[in-house]
Amino acid sequence: MATSVRDEVLYASPANGRWRKVTDHDNSKTPMQLDESDYDLPAELVAQHPLKVRDRARMLIVDRTQSSLVHAQVRDLVTLLTPQDVLVVNNTKVFPARLLGRRRDTGGRVEILLVRPEGAQRWQALVKPSQRLAVGAEVIFADTDWFAVLGASDAAGTRQVEFRGRGNLRSWLRRAGRVPLPPYIKRPNDHDAATSDATLSDRRRYQTVYAKHQGSVAAPTAGLHLTRSLLRRLQEKGVEIQAITLHVGPGTFRPLRGPAVEAHSMDAEHYWIPPATAAALEAAKTTGKRLIAVGTTTTRALESAAAADGRMRHLEGDTTLFIYPGYRFKIVDSLLTNFHLPRSTPLLLTMALAGRERIFAAYGEAIAQRYRFYSYGDAMLIL
């Protein structure tokens, strides 16, 4: 079923539940305000669990050339894409970065989200409740002699955490760590066990089937819809599939602070693109193929690597690229993505590619048709 999109009269839902006209900032010189990326979502549309079959997720196609919205499923990519398409995925792997412990002195609960290693037994981490824990405070964990000693906080709010204990720290972290699910996905908060059915299921499903390089604290969620069978059928049809790596950091959970969008700063995230992949992408663009990024993290890596002329010149680094309306894309043509939180950087990226009005029209249609939202939710394909 297709729905016409009229670019000049499109509406978004504000907090009062009534529809209001919105304007697009694609060609505006006035600063975009953060509340212009806000919308209302019924709580029951936030997906708490993935579908049993990944590629049975619904997919709303935003066709910019036809100004239409089309309802489909992710598995329909086999019929939608052609040998003139290149699908680029992010093969980062989520690691069990969330640790639940207790203060040694009071027994109070403590949550540690590991961000990046800084040595054999030292990490940068987000700690809750950080302000109540002094430098030198110790956090103990169930069924192990491993414990953590908290250091000072930096400007970004992360703290140095040193682990002490016997044995191999990495092996213990793999056993004790929880899947770092976003806060809107609710799970029973059993503070002393990491082996519940929900936790074990999330370890498998909050991961793409092609995850390879460990380093992310959040999944590149658009890729969660793809199955090995679907990828194989796409390749058999002649669709080229390439992989890059961007390790997703905790900044993906952080809301923007207002009021002006342009004032936001992105956390640095490490990416790399194999030279052979870069050469293949350049060759594909030279022959006029369409480059479809799977997810906003893939998009940011590709756009960070590309020079103004579209050549892939910066194949590895720490990117802080912030893509919002007004950005001119250098290499990415289309995007497979999820439905994102209001006031979030991924939502603004989709607006930069498709236009704010089209995105709000698509979100309004998805809400009306009861699509599932956020990390375990349904998909949107911007063509």
Side-chain angles (χ1 to χ4, degrees):
M1 181 176 71
T3 303
S4 176
V5 178
R6 293 189 300 150
D7 290 341
E8 71 280 9
V9 187
L10 296 176
Y11 295 82
S13 176
N16 64 15
R18 296 208 299 262
W19 293 85
R20 63 182 171 85
K21 189 172 182 179
V22 299
T23 56
D24 212 319
H25 272 82
D26 287 0
N27 299 306
S28 173
K29 295 181 180 179
T30 60
M32 183 178 182
Q33 299 301 298
L34 183 57
D35 61 5
E36 296 178 71
S37 64
D38 207 357
Y39 70 92
D40 278 345
L41 181 71
E44 66 271 17
L45 296 187
V46 179
Q48 295 299 308
H49 297 277
L51 294 180
K52 186 176 181 179
V53 180
R54 293 176 185 253
D55 61 4
R56 294 298 177 92
R58 300 166 77 185
M59 182 173 67
L60 184 60
I61 303 171
V62 180
D63 190 324
R64 291 170 291 173
T65 60
Q66 300 296 321
S67 292
S68 66
L69 303 174
V70 178
H71 298 282
Q73 290 185 320
V74 173
R75 61 178 178 170
D76 296 326
L77 287 171
V78 172
T79 59
L80 291 166
L81 304 188
T82 75
Q84 286 299 109
D85 290 313
V86 181
L87 203 63
V88 186
V89 302
N90 181 5
N91 64 8
T92 188
K93 188 175 184 178
V94 180
F95 71 100
R98 182 170 173 253
L99 296 170
L100 302 180
R102 295 183 182 273
R103 294 179 59 161
R104 189 186 292 278
D105 54 357
T106 67
R109 295 184 173 186
V110 179
E111 179 176 331
I112 298 175
L113 181 67
L114 303 176
V115 176
R116 58 185 175 273
E118 289 200 332
Q121 296 188 180
R122 188 176 293 115
W123 285 74
Q124 284 293 319
L126 296 174
V127 180
K128 292 197 302 187
S130 184
Q131 292 182 343
R132 298 185 207 166
L133 294 162
V135 173
E138 295 184 357
V139 180
I140 59 175
F141 307 95
D143 302 323
T144 182
D145 64 354
W146 281 101
F147 65 97
V149 181
L150 304 184
S153 299
D154 62 17
T158 60
R159 298 186 68 160
Q160 189 177 87
V161 177
E162 182 179 348
F163 290 95
R164 298 176 184 174
R166 291 179 297 179
N168 185 281
L169 175 62
R170 296 277 182 159
S171 296
W172 174 73
L173 289 175
R174 282 195 295 270
R175 294 193 306 272
R178 313 289 186 92
V179 177
L181 294 174
Y184 49 77
I185 295 179
K186 307 301 181 184
R187 294 289 182 267
N189 193 18
D190 182 351
H191 213 75
D192 297 319
T195 56
S196 68
D197 290 343
T199 298
L200 294 175
S201 175
D202 288 325
R203 279 185 178 244
R204 181 173 58 87
R205 293 303 305 273
Y206 194 64
Q207 197 82 269
T208 64
V209 298
Y210 45 77
K212 184 176 182 181
H213 301 291
Q214 181 170 285
S216 282
V217 301
T221 54
L224 297 180
H225 302 295
L226 303 179
T227 66
R228 293 183 179 87
S229 174
L230 176 59
L231 292 168
R232 183 179 65 253
R233 284 182 287 144
L234 285 168
Q235 288 178 310
E236 289 172 349
K237 189 177 180 180
V239 176
E240 188 177 344
I241 298 175
Q242 297 289 345
I244 59 88
T245 306
L246 181 142
H247 290 322
V248 187
T252 190
F253 297 142
R254 290 189 180 132
L256 281 79
R257 306 297 181 187
V261 164
E262 289 86 344
H264 179 71
S265 296
M266 299 286 289
D267 290 352
E269 293 174 316
H270 192 72
Y271 77 92
W272 72 89
I273 299 172
T277 299
L281 295 177
E282 286 187 359
K285 293 290 286 186
T286 300
T287 59
K289 289 188 175 183
R290 179 173 59 179
L291 196 156
I292 305 172
V294 177
T296 59
T297 62
T298 302
T299 302
R300 291 181 60 242
L302 292 171
E303 291 294 315
S304 297
D309 61 0
R311 299 290 299 274
M312 305 289 284
R313 299 186 186 277
H314 314 291
L315 301 188
E316 183 172 0
D318 294 325
T319 180
T320 57
L321 178 62
F322 179 26
I323 298 178
Y324 56 89
Y327 178 84
R328 296 297 177 236
F329 287 84
K330 297 173 287 188
I331 191 166
V332 171
D333 299 307
S334 299
L335 173 66
L336 177 68
T337 188
N338 280 25
F339 292 94
H340 301 292
L341 276 74
R343 295 172 170 249
S344 66
T345 57
L347 176 61
L348 289 169
L349 186 151
T350 66
M351 291 179 175
L353 184 63
R356 179 170 168 270
E357 295 185 345
R358 283 195 183 93
I359 292 299
F360 269 134
Y363 274 55
E365 176 71 5
I367 291 170
Q369 298 299 324
R370 312 294 291 177
Y371 274 61
R372 303 164 74 250
F373 276 62
Y374 304 164
S375 293
Y376 276 152
D378 294 316
M380 178 171 64
L381 178 63
I382 301 173
L383 297 176

